[in-house]
Amino acid sequence: MKVPLLDLQAQYAAIRDEVLEAVVRVCDSQRFIMGPEVEALEAELASALGVGHAIGVSSGTDALLVSMMALGVGPGDEVITSAYSFFATVGCIIRLGARPVLVDIEPDGFNIDPAAVERAISPRTKAIVPVHLFGQAAEIEAIVDAARAAASKGVSSPAVIEDACQAIGARHGQRAVGGFGDAGCFSFFPSKNLGAFGDGGLVTTNDGRLADRIRALRNHGAERKYHHSLVGGNFRLDALQAAVLRVKARHLGKWTEARRLNADRYRALFAAAGLDGVVRLPVELPHRYHIYNQFVVRVEAGRRDGLRSHLERSGIGTEIYYPIPFHLQECLRELGYAPGSFPEAEVAAATSLALPIYGELTEAAQEYVVASIAEFLGG
Ligand SMILES: *Cc1c(COP(=O)(O)O)cnc(C)c1O
């Protein structure tokens, strides 16, 4: 049996007619840059996410970059973020000339440790970038509180920029991520829960002035054509992508529910196979709505890579998110961290393995995945 890590064909087959109709609509209009499709998508997603403003941009990476630009991150600034995420999170900080101040993750999860964030705040902290990794909300309220509390200690309050690239629709309590901090950043990379037919991204904010700045920056800093109040870039979202995303956004809720059901089914199957203790399943924290962009299990470090090869031979796709934490990346050596600087991130890098979790995954496929794991680890 073949079980890929992600299969977008099944999802596409179910919405093909709707999507093609939307694509034809844009082609017939011959309006490809900004325009009504982008505006409609922004309004629909702002409403779905419960935020005041949503701004379509060219990618999740550019969502992070333009948010940091709009909040004035630059040389001399420190930006606190997790040692364990996709590279874009830290890359944007460095591209703006600021210094990333890395912080370890929590031992039982994959998200940044809020107590460590609080300790890392200094008078130079310009922003904090928590990541809602794999689709589960970080301790975002504690982090926002720590940022606000910094102000009372005479430090100017750092901005909070949520990297919600993997977490569209995830909630902490009743509220969707992306609406807690000053800005929320989303990615429409095809493998995210809401994936475009190419690159795309979104910035959310409840601050109208910040929204205006971001809108200007995404179009070379021009609020009016050829009048540049700021130096921005081309961070625009294509009308074609927006049209596709509008169709897909209508299905997102049910796709997310299907992923959550698959997560529950894995839990039952692993328990039935007697693998609970051998394979550590992702912890679902209380008051969280996890959207399972990834279902990442942990396996003893010495056996993880062997398990991965065994699954590959069995036709099962897996991935390691992420094999090298930021502080051990070659291009970040100058930051002066060393092995041991962030032990929890290092353990996660050595033990984590993402299993197929996409909504169209069948029960038979999940049974096969768990049986193949049991075969290798001995259930
Ligand atoms: C995908 C992702 C990004 C970058 O998004 P792109 O759209 O690929 O540029 C940033 N941060 C995290 C955590 C991501 O998963």
Side-chain angles (χ1 to χ4, degrees):
M1 188 178 209
K2 280 249 174 278
V3 188
L5 180 64
L6 174 65
D7 177 8
L8 288 169
Q9 287 292 349
Q11 187 189 76
Y12 173 59
I15 57 166
R16 189 172 178 277
D17 292 346
E18 271 179 283
V19 167
L20 293 184
E21 196 186 303
V23 168
V24 167
R25 190 171 69 228
V26 175
C27 293
D28 288 351
S29 80
Q30 288 293 296
R31 285 194 67 180
F32 299 115
I33 304 295
M34 306 299 293
E37 294 289 344
V38 173
E39 282 165 27
L41 175 74
E42 290 175 341
E44 287 155 11
L45 290 181
S47 152
L49 295 169
V51 291
H53 309 270
I55 303 137
V57 293
S58 32
S59 69
T61 304
D62 287 342
L64 288 162
L65 188 68
V66 77
S67 300
M68 290 183 205
M69 288 169 76
L71 287 159
V73 172
D77 292 332
E78 292 179 357
V79 178
I80 298 171
T81 195
S82 174
Y84 195 70
S85 177
F86 177 62
F87 188 77
T89 316
V90 76
C92 293
I93 300 168
I94 294 171
R95 286 169 67 189
L96 292 173
R99 180 185 171 83
V101 173
L102 302 179
V103 157
D104 211 350
I105 55 173
E106 294 184 294
D108 291 324
F110 296 98
N111 282 328
I112 195 165
D113 177 349
V117 168
E118 202 172 342
R119 287 195 297 275
I121 293 175
S122 87
R124 288 175 303 280
T125 308
K126 187 75 174 184
I128 304 171
V129 186
V131 184
H132 304 295
L133 205 63
F134 304 144
Q136 175 154 251
E139 291 289 352
I140 187 65
E141 285 178 329
I143 291 164
V144 170
D145 287 349
R148 294 217 184 98
S152 65
K153 291 182 211 149
V155 176
S156 81
S157 188
V160 175
I161 301 168
E162 297 173 66
D163 183 339
C165 283
Q166 298 181 3
I168 192 160
R171 295 195 293 268
H172 186 293
Q174 295 305 307
R175 283 163 66 196
V177 300
F180 290 86
D182 297 272
C185 301
F186 296 87
S187 165
F188 302 130
F189 186 79
S191 69
K192 306 294 163 87
N193 285 30
L194 180 59
F197 284 10
D199 281 305
L202 189 81
V203 181
T204 53
T205 181
N206 288 308
D207 177 340
R209 282 180 54 199
L210 185 63
D212 288 343
R213 256 178 103 76
I214 292 170
R215 280 199 192 90
L217 285 168
R218 99 176 138 179
N219 198 16
H220 297 290
E223 282 180 66
R224 214 156 32 103
K225 213 172 183 183
Y226 307 127
H227 292 69
H228 301 268
S229 50
L230 302 160
V231 179
N234 173 358
F235 304 128
R236 297 180 301 248
L237 179 69
D238 286 354
L240 273 169
Q241 297 302 344
V244 170
L245 288 163
R246 289 183 68 199
V247 172
K248 294 186 78 173
R250 294 202 287 268
H251 299 274
L252 182 62
K254 90 179 169 242
W255 290 338
T256 299
E257 275 303 305
R259 284 171 178 263
R260 286 171 54 81
L261 278 175
N262 290 346
D264 287 345
R265 207 189 271 153
Y266 269 137
R267 288 183 201 284
L269 289 168
F270 277 109
L275 284 171
D276 304 62
V278 193
V279 177
R280 277 171 60 207
L281 303 182
V283 177
E284 249 195 66
L285 296 166
H287 314 299
R288 301 291 206 288
Y289 184 81
H290 195 325
I291 64 150
Y292 287 103
N293 179 241
Q294 300 295 344
F295 187 85
V296 177
V297 302
R298 295 201 190 203
V299 184
E300 196 190 323
R303 307 182 81 184
R304 194 266 314 267
D305 293 346
L307 173 62
R308 185 166 192 228
S309 307
H310 172 75
L311 293 177
E312 195 180 336
R313 285 192 299 273
S314 313
I316 298 167
T318 62
E319 189 53 88
I320 297 168
Y321 300 117
Y322 296 93
I324 308 174
F326 290 161
H327 65 290
L328 303 179
Q329 292 288 351
E330 190 182 336
C331 65
L332 301 183
R333 261 198 314 238
E334 282 146 56
L335 295 177
Y337 297 111
S341 294
F342 303 106
E344 298 299 343
E346 289 171 30
V347 171
T351 58
S352 61
L353 190 66
L355 304 180
I357 190 71
Y358 57 92
E360 297 79 10
L361 195 65
T362 62
E363 187 163 356
Q366 287 192 276
E367 283 167 2
Y368 178 63
V369 170
V370 175
S372 305
I373 292 173
E375 193 175 70
F376 185 80
L377 295 175

